[in-house]
Amino acid sequence: MGLYLGLDCSTQSLSALVIDTQRGQVLLEESVNYGQALPEYQSPYGFLAHPDPKLKHADPLLWVAALERLLSKIVARGFDLGAVNALSGAAQQHATVYLNTRISEAAPWSLSVPLVDQVRPLLSRASAPIWLDSSTSGECAEITAALGGNDAVVTLSGSRAIERFSGPQIRKFWKTEPAAYQATREITLASAFLASVLCGASAPIDHGDGAGMNLLELRSGAWSTALLEATAPELASKLCTPVPSATRVGEIAPYFVHKYGFTPGTPLLAFTGDNPSSLVGMGATEPGSAVISLGTSDTVFAAMAEPRTDPRGFGHVFGNPAGGFMCLICFANGSLAREEVARRVGLSWPAFERAILSESLPGNEGNSMLPYFVPEMTPKLLTPRVELEGSAAFRAFADPPANARAVVEAQALTMQLHSDWIGAAPSSVRVTGGASKNRGILQILADVFDARIHTLSVSNSSVLGAALRAAQAVEGLPWAELSARFVVPDPKARILSAPGAQAAYGALRAKFASKLQAITIG
Ligand code: XUL
């Protein structure tokens, strides 16, 4: 029994959470928002500005700076990090970090120099392409052609070649900056990069996050030679061997012992992707529960006993950190779209909730929206596309209740239509992420899915999942026992579908189904 620290490096913030398995309590939650806390990185939303909307890169040093800021905040609160028995973490998926020296060769970190200044010279590429990047269609086509078609890539890796996935991004780097690619000794993911910094040694990529690279052979958990060869030369030599998620990948580096008070030898368990970590944090590691995560991206995911793939090609299969597999469908226009609509119609977040709950009706009296403010992956749209159909005021973004409802109804209907391949329609859905606090959004999800909606008392399930994974790996407790203690439903947020709402969505669902088919790029 003991204390376990989880970290979550998401698109817009870095968070920490500590659980105490003896007392069954969450002891600490802390977070650093990149835009607010580290404006010098010029990344108000966690990525660098670029005139090309398809190109989205982040500065990996921002994550390192945020790590130091977060640990300092925790220590300043009087929390003793020396009491932590083990830690693990999660990060936004797919983002690749390129190093000219293996971290094991660069460490030990010096105590007298800020960590960012020690990591900066190790980067062979100054920025990391992140999951919002959609600039690699050419590379996806080349990889697919080399493998002999979409089916071959899906069968091997669990997904088609996807623009934001790491393999196509690595291929683009090799094609556009061959000398820098040549100088790269190690390519890693944001998750394993953060673990490596914390250990002062190269921490391997786990099967959960590795499956989002278009490089991992899903069934064996090894890199696929065919995919590596189709991606870039000598790629195998630049990647660490992937490991199961419960692997101990190292121990905390002396830098963090001296500076933040960790106990020497504190073990680190492999870091994973934020979605696989959320599966754990939502207590959904066994097949049967669907999860919707409402974050910068919206995702729908569920554990799967056997990998099943999306016939339309948008869904993915990743490793389930608890063993087996999980499926995932990702929508780029999540919070970004909701926040953009709220901004355009001048609604605060509480007013946005009221607008849905008491100032508009299911079906939105015929007002509907295609809410693609940034390029979208599900359905695949390489350029933003916002279309409004309905009253003149609605079309002019001058009907705040209808505009607020329309963006969320579009998101919910799209999620439902694109997750039909997972299996039987769920009768209950667990919802997490920042926007899961908004009861208006939860009500629309209940109405559209015709399901009971539950949320949990911890709204960041990815960071909770990280702490739970550390605890499970060290203590060997059954997942069900850990979930029963820490994955606590919020009794105030159990929402049922409103009577009659289903009838309002029949026609709108059919309209969306044909719209989505018409706008999707093959
Ligand atoms: C999943 C995906 C996003 C990121 C966001 O495939 O791209 O959910 O993981 O952090």
Side-chain angles (χ1 to χ4, degrees), residues 11 92-94 131 164 274-275 297 299 316 318 328 330:
T11 315
Q92 54 174 301
Q93 298 199 248
H94 318 297
W131 64 275
R164 68 185 189 284
D274 52 2
N275 294 295
S297 66
T299 52
H316 316 296
F318 296 150
L328 174 126
C330 180

